[in-house]
Amino acid sequence: MIEQIQSETRQTVDGMQEVTPKTDRALTKVHAVAGMLQSISGEAAESRSRAGEVAHATHEQAIAANDIARNVEQVSQMAEETTATMHVNADSAAELDAMASDLRAQLAYFRVT
C-alpha cells in the first residue's frame, strides 16, 4: 500500500514537472497577449482622440464655409445694387445731356452775332 502511494506520488510529481513548463509558456503567452491588448487599447484611444479632433476641425470648417457663403451673397447683392444705381445714373446723365442740349439751343436763340 505504501509503495502504491509512493508510486502515485511519483507519477503526480512527474506529471507536475511536465505541466510546469507548459504552464510557464502559457503564462508567457498570456502576458504577451495582455501587452498586445493594452497596446491596442492605447492606439484605439489615440484614434478616438484624433477622430474627435477631425470632427472639431470639420465643424469649424463648416462654420467658416457658411460665413464665406454669407459674405459672397452680400457681395452679390451689393453688386446688383451698384448695377441698379449705375443704370439710374446713366438715365440721369442722359436726361441732363438732353437738358443741356435744350439749354444750348435756347442760348443760341438769344445770342447776338
Side-chain angles (χ1 to χ4, degrees):
M1 177 92 153
I2 291 179
E3 287 179 18
Q4 185 179 0
I5 292 173
Q6 286 177 340
S7 174
E8 288 175 8
T9 302
R10 268 193 295 278
Q11 287 175 351
T12 303
V13 169
D14 290 343
M16 290 173 115
Q17 287 176 346
E18 286 179 27
V19 171
T20 299
K22 291 178 183 177
T23 304
D24 288 342
R25 285 192 300 269
L27 186 58
T28 301
K29 288 180 182 179
V30 166
H31 286 295
V33 168
M36 288 180 202
L37 289 174
Q38 188 173 11
S39 175
I40 290 169
S41 176
E43 290 176 11
E46 186 176 336
S47 293
R48 184 179 60 238
S49 174
R50 287 186 182 168
E53 291 171 4
V54 168
H56 179 72
T58 302
H59 178 71
E60 293 295 321
Q61 287 177 348
I63 290 171
N66 286 336
D67 288 345
I68 289 170
R70 237 184 334 272
N71 290 337
V72 167
E73 188 166 331
Q74 286 177 349
V75 168
S76 175
Q77 288 175 351
M78 290 169 58
E80 288 176 14
E81 290 171 4
T82 301
T83 300
T85 301
M86 289 174 60
H87 286 295
V88 168
N89 288 344
D91 291 343
S92 296
E95 287 178 27
L96 286 173
D97 187 46
M99 286 180 176
S101 292
D102 285 345
L103 284 174
R104 274 193 230 93
Q106 290 175 9
L107 281 173
Y109 177 78
F110 292 108
R111 252 179 232 225
V112 179
T113 47

